Amino acid sequence: MPASSSSRALNAILPLITSNQPYEAHQKARTFASRYTKSGQYDAAIDVLFQSARELLKAGQQGSGTDLTCYLIDVYESKGESVNDDSRGKLTQLIALTGSSGTWRKTMIDRAIAWSAKHGTCPSGDQDLHHYIGELLYKDGAWDAAEPHLLAAGKRDSARLLAQLFTEWIETGGTPGNFALRGTLPGNILAAKAFIMQFVNKLLTARPSLASPLQSSRIPVDDGSEVMFTSDSATNFCQLAVLTCQRANGDKNKVIRESWVRLCGTYQAKGGVLASREVRAAMQTIATLYFAIPPPRTQPDNPFGAMLSSMLGGAPTGAPERRVLSPGLNRPHTLGLD
């Protein structure tokens, strides 16, 4: 067992930390871990590195603790350790103990995510690890650093937390529609639905004046969703975009396919952020993934016209096979526009 085989090493290392000899403890931990790794005793090396890093971090030795944590991840790699509750839990404990000062925690986070992307099931990194890091950073007030992790997590709880983060961020300055787009355009529809519902609810609770004067009551949708129109065009677009994508079925549902094109064209015609190059590119990506509308050969000045032309004319000759998603219900309902 790792505990028994590593006990001799830990008995030599941990007292050095309590006696204020962190450098010596750090060096011994690396020496013992190297010996264990070379002899194939990976679990013993992991136990030595984890416990030594944990105690060093508790003692305020961020540099030494981070170095041993990175060594621990190296041993994970050598062993081929998969992402599971135990391996992930060790890293989240150490990340939490590192603290927010300096760049130590970012170094640890970057290494942990890279390992989880390689040895887990998600190519962007383990979802639970992303969620934990995003929540930790959010609580520390590092909103800009938390955002990409909550988006990468792709979980409903992460999406709801992102909505909370964005509504707090808006209070310090910002346009609601820009934040609505940031939470929905990455294209994970299950997470996007949880995000936009929570975001609009919290937004209108904090700012009742943002409710649309033309349609102040909630509009129920037959799957239990609802639309709450606001005076912000981009926020309204995001709500309708998520509902439309839920009903996508590639090129098989012509009505919903046409609804997407009309939705984009109507809202892009309003100008503002929805007409920006970045948002237009994201809309085209979603059009290809969910509605099998091929991208234009070149970036057009009129993306609405290009989507319509592509939808009617099919894929360009010689175009590579496109990835198409069918995430939701196949219901031929045309969604209204404000």
Side-chain angles (χ1 to χ4, degrees), residues 294-325:
R297 290 184 177 89
T298 59
Q299 184 66 34
D301 292 330
N302 180 5
F304 167 65
M307 273 195 289
L308 184 59
S309 175
S310 296
M311 186 175 73
L312 296 175
T317 303
E321 183 178 354
R322 301 184 308 277
R323 177 171 171 247
V324 179
L325 303 179

Side-chain angles (χ1 to χ4, degrees), residues 36-203:
Y36 286 134
T37 301
K38 288 177 180 177
S39 63
Q41 300 180 68
Y42 296 116
D43 290 342
I46 288 169
D47 192 43
V48 166
L49 291 168
F50 169 66
Q51 293 203 48
S52 300
R54 182 182 61 190
E55 297 309 311
L56 283 166
L57 290 169
K58 287 180 179 178
Q61 299 295 323
Q62 291 177 303
S64 295
T66 300
D67 179 71
L68 294 186
T69 301
C70 291
Y71 195 170
L72 168 64
I73 295 171
D74 288 340
V75 177
Y76 277 179
E77 292 277 4
S78 299
K79 181 187 176 186
E81 182 72 78
S82 63
V83 181
N84 53 53
D85 289 344
D86 180 66
S87 59
R88 183 196 306 112
K90 284 183 169 64
L91 294 179
T92 56
Q93 283 189 59
L94 298 175
I95 289 169
L97 288 169
T98 304
S100 58
S101 63
T103 61
W104 304 115
R105 185 165 67 182
K106 184 180 185 307
T107 298
M108 199 180 291
I109 287 171
D110 290 346
R111 288 293 307 278
I113 292 295
W115 160 75
S116 74
K118 183 177 179 181
H119 294 277
T121 58
C122 187
S124 62
D126 179 66
Q127 292 176 293
D128 289 326
L129 185 58
H130 271 300
H131 178 84
Y132 177 86
I133 293 167
E135 184 174 22
L136 178 69
L137 294 169
Y138 160 69
K139 290 178 178 178
D140 276 357
W143 294 342
D144 56 338
E147 178 184 352
H149 291 289
L150 294 174
L151 285 170
K155 300 163 71 73
R156 289 185 176 90
D157 286 345
S158 307
R160 296 185 185 102
L161 184 58
L162 183 65
Q164 176 66 38
L165 185 159
F166 280 171
T167 52
E168 292 179 23
W169 201 336
I170 288 170
E171 293 305 309
T172 69
T175 304
N178 292 351
F179 286 100
L181 288 166
R182 282 157 63 171
T184 54
L185 285 190
N188 181 329
I189 292 304
L190 291 177
K193 179 182 178 182
F195 165 81
I196 197 63
M197 291 180 66
Q198 184 85 344
F199 178 76
V200 175
N201 268 309
K202 288 185 173 294
L203 182 65

Side-chain angles (χ1 to χ4, degrees), residues 199-253:
F199 178 76
V200 175
N201 268 309
K202 288 185 173 294
L203 182 65
L204 292 179
T205 298
R207 296 188 182 182
S209 61
L210 284 175
S212 171
L214 302 177
Q215 178 66 52
S216 58
S217 60
R218 300 166 185 254
I219 301 175
V221 182
D222 57 2
D223 64 352
S225 304
E226 59 186 12
V227 174
M228 295 172 284
F229 281 109
T230 72
S231 58
D232 184 273
S233 181
T235 301
N236 295 340
F237 169 79
C238 289
Q239 294 183 79
L240 297 174
V242 168
L243 291 172
T244 307
C245 289
Q246 278 187 287
R247 290 155 176 75
N249 193 16
D251 59 0
K252 298 179 177 61
N253 190 329

